[in-house]
Amino acid sequence: EFRRVLFRSAGSAAAAGPAVTGPWRWAAGLAAGAALYIGLPYLLVQRGGLGVITRGDPAGQQVALTFDDGPDPRSTPLVLDTLRAAGVQATFFILPALARQHPDLLRRLLTEGHEVLPHAHRHRHAWTLLPWVAFRDPGQATREVQELTGTRPRLQRPPHGAYSLATVLGQRAAGVTGV
């Protein structure tokens, strides 16, 4: 008589837990892979701040103003006018494609002394990207921003602040630190 073994016997060398068989085997593998690929970076990087900059010097009396997803012709000029009136500098995490579409805004960001850093080449949540795309994105965005500004970026903020294992490895390969 053929019977599927759902649990290993206590005398088995691998009696650590249930054996997954049949159609559930792929689901268990997928769940384990997702836990490693998404869950581990989420806990270590996004929640724990491991390997990323999450705050400045606690003894300092400074606030970092940052803006993402630009430059946008509807909002960026208003933000820049407000920053100029207040005598304040900010950091702009830009999308290189938008900077190419609006070179006047990029020029104004740089002329007014703001820091311009890469946000992403593709503005997609890291968890929705294929691993090789998520790996390449920080490097591609970093190279593009360097071409546009003439300055080598040292920081990068992924869209939605979301990290996968590939995003973390891609930042390391590109020589940038996540924020």
Side-chain angles (χ1 to χ4, degrees), residues 4 7 10 16 50 74 79 82 84 140 169 172 177-178:
R4 259 187 210 190
F7 294 91
L50 183 67
R74 294 167 295 168
V79 169
T82 303
R84 186 186 316 148
Q140 193 167 2
L169 295 175
R172 299 303 176 264
T177 301

Side-chain angles (χ1 to χ4, degrees), residues 156-173:
Q156 188 258 345
R157 176 181 293 151
H160 311 284
Y163 289 85
S164 67
L165 180 58
T167 307
V168 172
L169 295 175
Q171 285 178 328
R172 299 303 176 264

